[in-house]
Amino acid sequence: STGVVKLQPKAEELKFVTKNDGYVHIHPSSVNYQTRHFESPYLVYHEKIKTSRVFIRDCSMVSVYPLVLLGGGQVHMQLQKGEFVISLDDGWIRFVAASHQVAELVKELRCELDQLLQDKIKNPSMDLCICPRGSRIISMIVKLVTTQ
């Protein structure tokens, strides 16, 4: 029997969406230009330029948990159609959590990390690896991100 094998898109066909610019493409000079598949649909980038179309350069794929924990803006959680949705940036970025408990734990971990960083800014000499609270938060984040 024969079948059809889905091909990965060509580099010039691959596009992403930003909140302000709509569709953007990876610039041909970017290291990731030839990458045809990303494990996560989210990229972070350093530079955005507009020539014949809008391009991003200096981009890296980012997984869901690092984006939720380290991304800007407030984290919100709500129940939508029986699923617990975690949202960032006023709903622009949204994830479905496996359960209410997972959503609450991720949201709480983000709050704890934000508070820990505020404490570090107030007290720059504080060693987060020695501080019991800081080391627990950091080790939990490392565990979550590496076992994702």
Side-chain angles (χ1 to χ4, degrees):
S1 89
T2 61
V4 178
V5 177
K6 184 177 179 182
L7 297 175
Q8 296 292 340
K10 295 178 183 173
E12 61 273 6
E13 297 171 341
L14 197 60
K15 53 189 169 181
F16 295 87
V17 179
T18 66
K19 186 176 183 179
N20 298 326
D21 297 297
Y23 288 108
V24 297
H25 301 265
I26 298 175
H27 195 275
S29 68
S30 176
V31 171
N32 283 326
Y33 180 69
Q34 293 301 323
T35 304
R36 294 167 60 168
H37 174 73
F38 294 94
E39 293 295 319
S40 171
Y42 303 102
L43 295 180
V44 293
Y45 62 89
H46 175 68
E47 184 178 27
K48 181 171 51 173
I49 58 171
K50 184 174 183 177
T51 55
S52 59
R53 53 187 168 178
V54 180
F55 291 99
I56 56 173
R57 282 199 280 215
D58 305 325
C59 60
S60 295
M61 184 203 73
V62 63
S63 299
V64 172
Y65 288 130
L67 190 58
V68 172
L69 295 172
L70 303 169
Q74 295 293 316
V75 176
H76 299 282
M77 185 193 64
Q78 55 190 325
L79 181 63
Q80 293 180 348
K81 298 180 183 177
E83 296 181 314
F84 292 96
V85 177
I86 299 171
S87 63
L88 300 169
D89 198 17
D90 297 326
W92 169 245
I93 301 171
R94 299 163 23 111
F95 311 98
V96 175
S99 69
H100 180 256
Q101 184 180 15
V102 169
E104 283 291 342
L105 288 172
V106 169
K107 184 178 176 184
E108 187 62 30
L109 186 56
R110 167 66 186 266
C111 290
E112 289 292 327
L113 176 61
D114 288 349
Q115 185 58 53
L116 182 65
L117 293 175
Q118 287 295 324
D119 294 347
K120 177 66 174 173
I121 289 169
K122 289 177 187 170
N123 182 7
S125 63
M126 180 174 71
D127 187 341
L128 297 178
C129 295
I130 295 174
C131 165
R133 180 173 163 264
S135 63
R136 282 194 313 269
I137 293 168
I138 291 169
S139 65
M140 180 55 72
I141 291 171
V142 169
K143 185 176 182 178
L144 182 65
V145 169
T146 58
T147 60
Q148 182 176 347

